[in-house]
Amino acid sequence: QKSTKGSVVLGYVFRHLNLVEIDYFGLRYCDRSHQTYWLDPAKTLSEHKELINTGPPYTLYFGIKFYAEDPCKLKEEITRYQFFLQVKQDVLQGRLPCPANTAAQLGAYIIQSELGDYDPYKHTAGYVSEYRFVPDQKEELEDAIERIHKTLIVTTPVSETNYLGVAKSLEMYGVDLHPVYGENKSEYFLGLTPVGVVVYKNKKQVGKYFWPRITKVHFKETQFELRVLGKDCNETSFFFEARNKITCKNLWKCCVEHHTFFRVPENESNSLPRKFSKFGSIGYKHRYSGRTSLQMTRDPSVQLPRHDQCIERSRSKTYPKRTQQTGSKNMSQITLNRENEGTTKIIAPSPVKRY
């Protein structure tokens, strides 16, 4: 029903997926202009105007809202599996770029999780080409993945954890990008991360502000303000322009939620004066109502991991093998289908808008 709260819808999804470490995840939707938003647990479906204007039917995508700084330390295997699915899709769709050697290592862990140990009788020439790992995948990468796969002897859960262990070190891991404009209409991206806000220009990092030193975020119409406390204890405001008021407010909401989720309590951080460690004097009603990252790791009410869990994994979509051309050492090109894997299945992570 349109009067149903977002928290009820989220509850159905979390029960269906048998997730307990739920605060890392959310449901995302797109408006008619393809701007993405997170379903607000505190609001009814009818209060999500951008969603209501798209249907019926209404489409929401499950995925990671807050990327754990170290996903290998998540308590339950099923939570790590959902992170594995999302990060794998981030790499495949180009949101998480990685160098060739890292892509080969990640691809080998995917193959190991799908097929197990290398078997020359089962895994015939070209078997790696049946899977997709990165945009514009080349044969050289597939050969490198096969070489690494032959050296692996680990179980599927270990392969997934190893995958996350490598992926978390990539520069763009867990970065939620928002396009903005600076002086003279120059294009920037603000990236919300587990440790703070990163500023990018021309795909290069030009600024990084840690959550404990961000004393205020504010928006008015299309102007977004980020106020930062310097080492000299003086505050500096940085101003950016968003495309419109709606995207500016969405950036502000995401920033508030990221800060609240990843913040360190006052009594555990002596790096800042008490008066600067509060983030709440923003002047707007929106507040993050879930558990913080620290609360989740210390919650004594739920004993994790649960025993005797049965995790149902889904197989990745496969494609025809590369075939060798007659009289040529070059391999024929295969059209790379970059469709969102399993978008019709509730287990698939959410697509995130690419800018």
Side-chain angles (χ1 to χ4, degrees):
Q1 304 295 323
K2 290 185 178 181
S3 60
T4 302
K5 285 284 186 74
S7 58
V8 175
V9 181
L10 285 163
Y12 279 120
V13 174
F14 295 143
R15 286 191 293 273
H16 177 80
L17 294 174
N18 195 24
L19 283 172
V20 174
E21 297 174 279
I22 59 177
D23 296 272
Y24 293 106
F25 303 97
L27 289 173
R28 205 161 192 169
Y29 61 92
C30 298
D31 64 13
R32 292 186 177 275
S33 62
H34 304 292
Q35 172 67 40
T36 57
Y37 306 87
W38 290 104
L39 187 71
D40 190 334
K43 292 184 177 181
T44 65
L45 295 182
S46 62
E47 290 178 296
H48 293 79
K49 302 299 183 183
E50 298 86 0
L51 173 64
I52 296 301
N53 291 337
T54 64
Y58 307 106
T59 303
L60 301 106
Y61 301 92
F62 172 77
I64 298 175
K65 186 174 184 179
F66 303 113
Y67 284 77
E69 189 171 1
D70 188 352
C72 301
K73 292 183 179 179
L74 294 167
K75 294 181 179 180
E76 292 212 300
E77 181 183 323
I78 193 168
T79 314
R80 293 191 294 272
Y81 174 58
Q82 291 294 343
F83 265 73
F84 169 73
L85 288 178
Q86 176 73 77
V87 176
K88 183 174 70 166
Q89 190 179 65
D90 291 345
V91 175
L92 174 63
Q93 297 184 344
R95 293 188 299 272
L96 182 54
C98 55
N101 60 334
T102 305
Q105 186 72 55
L106 293 175
Y109 286 136
I110 291 174
I111 289 294
Q112 182 74 9
S113 70
E114 294 272 350
L115 305 178
D117 297 345
Y118 175 78
D119 185 336
Y121 297 102
K122 292 180 181 178
H123 306 141
T124 56
Y127 72 100
V128 174
S129 68
E130 295 182 20
Y131 297 86
R132 297 292 174 263
F133 311 97
V134 297
D136 302 318
Q137 186 169 306
K138 299 295 190 297
E139 181 187 358
E140 292 76 13
L141 174 63
E142 295 163 5
D143 291 340
I145 290 172
E146 181 177 340
R147 288 194 298 270
I148 298 174
H149 178 221
K150 291 177 180 180
T151 69
L152 299 179
I153 306 176
V154 292
T155 64
T156 292
V158 173
S159 291
E160 293 167 357
T161 302
N162 288 344
Y163 183 98
L164 293 174
V166 173
K168 72 179 182 181
S169 64
L170 294 171
E171 180 184 351
M172 297 301 293
Y173 165 78
V175 179
D176 179 22
L177 288 176
H178 294 259
V180 291
Y181 298 101
E183 294 181 353
N184 302 320
K185 285 294 181 179
S186 53
E187 293 184 343
Y188 288 85
F189 284 92
L190 297 185
L192 310 183
T193 78
V195 297
V197 179
V198 182
V199 185
Y200 297 95
K201 183 178 182 181
N202 298 326
K203 298 184 178 181
K204 293 183 179 180
Q205 181 178 313
V206 296
K208 188 173 186 178
Y209 310 109
F210 296 98
W211 292 124
R213 291 199 166 273
I214 297 176
T215 59
K216 186 177 181 180
V217 291
H218 175 75
F219 83 98
K220 183 177 182 180
E221 298 297 329
T222 62
Q223 187 180 75
F224 178 79
E225 177 188 357
L226 191 68
R227 192 176 299 174
V228 181
L229 183 68
K231 294 181 179 180
D232 57 0
C233 289
N234 292 322
E235 289 182 298
T236 303
S237 288
F238 299 91
F239 294 92
F240 301 91
E241 287 288 329
R243 292 176 179 174
N244 52 57
K245 184 178 179 179
I246 294 176
T247 58
C248 194
K249 184 178 181 179
N250 185 54
L251 167 60
W252 168 77
K253 288 178 66 175
C254 291
C255 199
V256 169
E257 292 182 341
H258 270 73
H259 177 273
T260 308
F261 185 81
F262 291 110
R263 71 185 173 189
V264 177
E266 291 179 23
N267 58 3
E268 296 199 11
S269 176
N270 297 320
S271 61
L272 297 177
R274 182 180 178 88
K275 66 178 181 178
F276 287 122
S277 59
K278 290 188 176 181
F279 200 68
S281 58
I282 297 176
Y284 293 89
K285 294 181 180 180
H286 181 71
R287 293 292 184 272
Y288 172 70
S289 58
R291 293 178 298 175
T292 67
S293 177
L294 192 64
Q295 288 171 339
M296 291 181 66
T297 60
R298 297 182 178 180
D299 187 358
S301 63
V302 181
Q303 295 298 316
L304 298 177
R306 293 167 289 174
H307 298 295
D308 303 324
Q309 272 197 290
C310 181
I311 301 176
E312 182 181 348
R313 288 174 166 83
S314 62
R315 300 299 299 270
S316 296
K317 185 175 181 179
T318 56
Y319 302 82
K321 289 183 181 179
R322 292 187 187 269
T323 56
Q324 192 167 17
Q325 294 178 348
T326 304
S328 173
K329 294 182 180 180
N330 295 325
M331 307 298 281
S332 62
Q333 296 295 315
I334 295 177
T335 301
L336 302 185
N337 187 333
R338 300 179 204 165
E339 293 182 21
N340 178 7
E341 292 186 11
T343 49
T344 59
K345 299 179 182 179
I346 195 70
I347 63 168
S350 70
V352 181
K353 179 168 177 151
R354 293 180 64 188
Y355 297 102

